[in-house]
C-alpha cells in the first residue's frame, strides 16, 4: 500500500520548511500529515529519496588532560523562550563532510580546537524528532583543547560555553532544561570511567 499519495511545500524559508503529506494510514483512512524539513524541495525529502544524508552534526567533545570534562553549550531557544543545555551542534554545509562540519562548528560555537576520532557506526546519522521532522544528525566524537571563547558566534546566537565535570552533569540533569539527545550522552558520560570515548573501540 502506498502510504503517501502526494506532498505539497507550504513555506519557503532559509533553514526550515513545512510540508503537507497526503498520508494513508494502516486502516486505509487518510488525512494531512505535516512534516518540517531542512530539505529545499519536495524531491529532496527523505520520504521521497530514502537517503539518510545528515542535516547536521552533534559534537561529543571531551576536554582536559584528564579527559574529565565534557563540552556543553547553554543556549537560548525560542520554542521554549528560555535556555537549554545541549551539546555543540550545527548544520552540515553543502560539500562538507561530518568531520569537517564538526571541527568548524566546535570552533565557531565554543572557540575550542576539536580533534575528531573515528565514531564508526555510532557516528552515523540518526533521526531526531521523527514524529515531526525528517531531520537526522550524525555524532562527531573527539577531544578539545584551548580556552572557551564566544568570538566566533553570530550576533543572533545566545550561547554560553560550559566545561562540565561529572558532578556538574548530575546537577544539570537534575535541575536544568536539557535537550534529550544531550541528556542521554550526559548519562553515558557520568557512567563512564577514565576516557569517556573508550567505548568507540567497540563500534565495529
Amino acid at each position: 500500500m502506498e502510504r503517501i499519495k502526494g506532498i505539497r511545500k507550504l513555506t519557503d524559508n532559509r533553514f526550515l520548511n513545512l510540508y503537507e503529506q497526503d498520508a494513508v494510514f494502516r486502516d486505509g483512512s487518510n488525512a494531512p500529515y505535516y512534516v518540517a524539513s531542512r530539505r529545499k524541495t519536495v524531491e529532496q525529502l527523505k520520504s521521497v529519496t530514502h537517503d539518510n544524508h545528515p542535516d547536521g552534526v552533534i559534537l561529543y567533545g571531551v576536554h582536559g588532560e584528564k579527559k574529565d570534562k565534557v563540552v556543553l553549550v547553554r543556549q537560548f531557544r525560542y520554542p521554549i523562550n528560555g535556555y537549554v543545555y545541549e551539546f555543540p551542534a550545527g548544520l552540515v554545509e553543502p560539500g562538507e563532510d561530518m568531520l569537517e562540519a564538526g571541527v568548524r562548528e566546535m570552533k565557531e560555537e565554543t572557540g575550542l580546537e576539536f580533534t575528531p576520532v573515528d565514531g564508526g557506526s555510532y557516528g552515523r546519522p540518526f533521526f531526531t524528532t521523527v514524529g515531526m521532522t525528517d531531520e537526522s544528525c550524525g555524532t562527531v566524537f573527539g577531544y578539545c583543547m584551548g580556552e572557551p571563547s564566544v568570538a566566533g558566534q553570530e550576533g543572533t546566537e545566545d550561547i554560553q560555553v560550559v566545561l562540565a565535570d561529572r558532578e556538574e552533569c548530575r546537577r544539570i540533569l537534575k535541575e536544568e532544561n536539557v535537550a534529550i539527545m544531550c541528556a542521554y550522552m550526559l548519562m553515558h558520560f557520568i557512567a563512564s570511567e577514565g576516557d569517556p570515548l573508550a567505548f568507540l573501540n567497540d563500534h565495529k
Side-chain angles (χ1 to χ4, degrees):
M1 177 176 65
E2 179 59 48
R3 302 297 295 267
I4 301 174
K5 293 295 188 179
I7 307 174
R8 288 169 295 282
K9 186 178 182 183
L10 302 182
T11 61
D12 190 21
N13 300 311
R14 181 181 176 188
F15 294 112
L16 187 68
N17 283 288
L18 184 66
Y19 293 83
E20 183 183 74
Q21 297 178 333
D22 295 326
V24 180
F25 302 115
R26 181 170 59 88
D27 63 3
S29 63
N30 62 284
Y33 195 102
Y34 296 96
V35 177
S37 179
R38 298 192 184 279
R39 305 292 92 195
K40 304 296 185 184
T41 67
V42 168
E43 293 74 21
Q44 294 173 342
L45 291 175
K46 291 173 186 174
S47 60
V48 175
T49 67
H50 301 286
D51 176 21
N52 186 15
H53 183 79
D55 300 285
V57 288
I58 300 168
L59 312 177
Y60 189 159
V62 176
H63 190 275
E65 291 185 7
K66 296 181 180 180
K67 301 180 177 64
D68 59 350
K69 292 184 175 64
V70 67
V71 181
L72 302 174
V73 292
R74 181 175 179 266
Q75 183 165 194
F76 186 87
R77 291 296 196 179
Y78 286 92
I80 64 170
N81 194 24
Y83 289 91
V84 62
Y85 281 81
E86 306 173 68
F87 274 80
L91 299 179
V92 178
E93 296 182 350
E96 192 176 46
D97 65 31
M98 289 201 325
L99 296 185
E100 292 171 334
V103 172
R104 175 183 54 76
E105 286 289 348
M106 184 68 83
K107 186 67 174 180
E108 290 175 0
E109 289 197 355
T110 73
L112 300 172
E113 302 295 333
F114 185 50
T115 302
V117 299
D118 181 11
S121 59
Y122 296 151
R124 73 184 183 90
F126 293 106
F127 292 100
T128 56
T129 311
V130 75
M132 60 181 291
T133 178
D134 66 354
E135 180 187 61
S136 65
C137 293
T139 303
V140 182
F141 305 89
Y143 301 100
C144 292
M145 296 179 59
E147 295 297 323
S149 170
V150 298
Q153 295 179 13
E154 298 179 7
T156 55
E157 295 177 314
D158 185 351
I159 301 174
Q160 302 160 12
V161 185
V162 179
L163 304 181
D165 60 15
R166 288 175 173 84
E167 182 178 350
E168 175 63 3
C169 289
R170 289 187 181 93
R171 186 199 68 79
I172 290 169
L173 287 173
K174 183 178 180 180
E175 301 177 4
E176 304 287 353
N177 292 327
V178 185
I180 192 167
M181 290 178 289
C182 177
Y184 290 145
M185 290 179 177
L186 291 184
M187 294 173 201
H188 167 268
F189 176 71
I190 291 169
S192 65
E193 296 182 1
D195 184 353
L197 302 187
F199 78 101
L200 294 175
N201 296 329
D202 302 324
H203 68 75
K204 296 181 180 179

